[in-house]
Amino acid sequence: METGLIGLSLSGKTTIFNTLTGHSASTAPHSGGKKEANIAEIQVPDERVDRLSEIFNPKKKVYATCIFKDLNLDFTPEGGISAASIAEIRNLTAVAIVIRAYEDEGVPHPLESIDPVRDLKKILDSLVFSDYEVTEKRMERLEKEGKKGSREFSYLQKISEHLSAGKLLGTGFLTEDEMKLFSGFAFITAKPMIVVANSGEAAKGVAELEAAAGEFDLTFFSLQGALEMEIAQLPGEDQADFLKDAGLSEPAITRFLRMIYDSLNLISFLTVGEDEVRAWSIRKQTVAQKAAGKIHTDLEKGFIRAEVIHYDEFMTMGNMSEAKKQGKLRLEGKEYIVQDGDIMNIRFNV
Ligand SMILES: Nc1nc2c(ncn2[C@@H]2O[C@H](COP(=O)(O)OP(=O)(O)OP(=O)(O)O)[C@@H](O)[C@H]2O)c(=O)[nH]1
Ligand SMILES: [Mg+2]
């Protein structure tokens, strides 16, 4: 799962990347030439993994992970996002649009004034246009091949009309079947998108930005980039005091991950044993056989059954043999819908 941070230059993308990852990638009040993207894989803290590890004492304790990318977008002279950058965005699972809402005379704004709603619309326009272009190209192609009567063409027409009205595809516009049909297009505006308000000490237009995000049906997240980055870079034990002083109950990463899990509909299941205690993230509504495939393709192919006990119930038993003795391990088939906190053991043969 890759979440990319995109936004106008100097909006605070790298600052927020550092805030979420604890890294110290360089930030500057001026944009300098073409830079590499910053990438980090972070572990998703999970108390269940910690408690289960105390019980199983495994050789390895593995948390679910989440990848953050700070894309260094290129813009065209007209202010749109370049084709190369659009291609990078298409590969992401989720897109976090960083919008500058902090005032600071020491940092220039590429559009010369602080106007978060304008900036959001500018970025969204660019993304909508890129999806529109892909759609039109494909339609032209189908037309040339004499396939105007095809099912695909009529879907594309519907999509094209929607986009040309300036609307995002969103996560609800395409049905699941259409999503499958068009998965190769990797429509950007059909990805989960989050508006991240980078509101500093002197913030401007945050409420208006939140309202605009709501109009587009986008998840909204707000943080104080510069300040929270400094806190995230402190040694763990010092962070709590500084957070409290700043009136924040939790670090930005905790808030952000909760929001990401929510907007991507993610849950975690667990596997336990002497070798490894581990959390795996999957989408809600994933069936047991598919979830097994997350661990290894052999487990999906040769899936027989899953032995399942929910974490909460397991904790009341304290260990696996007690859970077995009391008949608390359920046997579930391949269609079983895995629940958040399920401890699973997959039986399979290859
Ligand atoms: N006052 C203030 N300055 C900030 C805040 N967030 C970022 N900045 C400053 O804004 C400048 C740009 O921040 P970056 O994080 O480098 O922005 P960016 O979007 O990665 O910029 P480019 O990669 O060059 O497009 C730096 O000087 C930051 O210190 C904030 O919340 N408040
Ligand atoms: Mg940057």
Side-chain angles (χ1 to χ4, degrees):
M1 203 233 338
E2 284 189 2
T3 301
L5 299 164
I6 68 166
L8 294 181
S9 53
L10 302 177
S11 53
K13 301 177 294 294
T14 306
T15 302
I16 288 170
F17 173 82
N18 288 341
T19 307
L20 297 177
T21 61
H23 282 218
S24 328
S26 70
T27 60
H30 51 81
S31 283
K34 177 87 185 120
K35 291 164 283 185
E36 291 283 291
N38 295 306
I39 302 177
E41 183 176 66
I42 64 127
Q43 302 189 331
V44 180
D46 192 332
E47 199 193 32
R48 297 168 301 191
V49 173
D50 299 328
R51 309 240 348 239
L52 291 169
S53 295
E54 285 162 18
I55 295 170
F56 288 90
N57 207 10
K59 294 191 194 92
K60 265 200 312 192
K61 159 163 128 173
V62 187
Y63 298 95
T65 56
C66 204
I67 295 172
F68 290 118
K69 272 190 173 172
D70 166 23
L71 297 180
N72 272 304
L73 299 193
D74 279 331
F75 290 89
T76 62
E78 297 76 38
I81 303 172
S82 76
S85 290
I86 286 289
E88 285 186 87
I89 301 174
R90 283 200 198 288
N91 291 327
L92 300 169
T93 320
V95 182
I97 306 173
V98 176
I99 302 289
R100 173 168 177 179
Y102 68 88
E103 292 197 292
D104 185 337
E105 301 220 318
V107 184
H109 189 296
L111 302 175
E112 285 160 12
S113 61
I114 310 297
D115 185 344
V117 173
R118 172 203 60 198
D119 295 357
L120 174 64
K121 289 195 169 149
K122 191 158 174 64
I123 297 277
L124 291 179
D125 273 353
S126 217
L127 300 178
V128 166
F129 184 68
S130 71
D131 281 350
Y132 176 77
E133 268 188 325
V134 180
T135 310
E136 288 293 303
K137 253 189 214 144
R138 180 69 187 156
M139 284 169 74
E140 275 167 31
R141 179 82 190 253
L142 289 173
E143 215 170 326
K144 261 189 211 143
E145 291 170 0
K147 292 184 185 153
K148 265 186 93 166
S150 66
R151 194 171 70 118
E152 187 186 354
F153 191 89
S154 72
Y155 281 147
L156 286 167
Q157 217 157 15
K158 185 176 86 169
I159 292 171
S160 161
E161 274 166 29
H162 188 84
L163 292 167
S164 62
K167 292 190 216 157
L168 313 176
L169 293 176
T171 42
F173 182 71
L174 298 174
T175 64
E176 212 144 290
D177 279 348
E178 291 166 1
M179 282 294 257
K180 270 193 203 128
L181 185 63
F182 295 119
S183 62
F185 289 61
F187 285 123
I188 296 176
T189 69
K191 293 182 193 292
M193 284 203 266
I194 301 125
V195 176
V196 179
N198 184 18
S199 45
E201 321 70 70
K204 188 177 171 197
V206 178
E208 291 82 353
L209 181 61
E210 181 167 11
E215 276 166 35
F216 285 101
D217 215 9
L218 300 176
T219 307
F220 178 79
F221 186 86
S222 172
L223 84 172
Q224 297 189 40
L227 172 73
E228 298 203 52
M229 178 180 90
E230 279 177 35
I231 296 176
Q233 290 171 339
L234 292 171
E237 61 274 18
D238 295 342
Q239 293 188 14
D241 284 345
F242 281 87
L243 283 170
K244 214 164 118 206
D245 286 348
L248 298 162
S249 56
E250 293 171 309
I253 181 61
T254 311
R255 285 150 36 219
F256 196 85
L257 283 174
R258 192 180 311 127
M259 181 274 301
I260 279 280
Y261 266 65
D262 237 38
S263 43
L264 269 71
N265 274 320
L266 294 174
I267 55 169
S268 302
F269 74 91
L270 303 144
T271 52
V272 295
E274 285 170 10
D275 284 335
E276 184 180 89
V277 166
R278 181 162 184 167
W280 308 81
S281 53
I282 51 170
R283 301 253 170 169
K284 269 182 202 160
Q285 299 298 322
T286 301
V287 296
Q289 186 172 16
K290 270 261 163 278
K294 222 16 236 190
I295 305 173
H296 198 285
T297 46
D298 284 351
L299 271 63
E300 183 174 347
K301 280 192 217 125
F303 184 95
I304 303 170
R305 270 187 204 320
E307 289 175 345
V308 185
I309 179 169
H310 192 270
Y311 170 81
D312 293 336
E313 183 150 55
F314 176 81
M315 291 311 279
T316 67
M317 307 280 126
N319 62 63
M320 216 36 109
S321 47
E322 188 60 25
K324 270 188 195 144
K325 207 162 82 195
Q326 297 211 25
K328 298 293 186 190
L329 283 188
R330 305 181 324 260
L331 282 180
E332 301 284 2
K334 54 184 175 196
E335 296 297 333
Y336 169 71
I337 293 179
V338 179
Q339 304 294 312
D340 185 49
D342 275 348
I343 299 175
M344 304 236 285
N345 178 37
I346 311 293
R347 291 197 196 159
F348 69 109
N349 67 29
V350 272

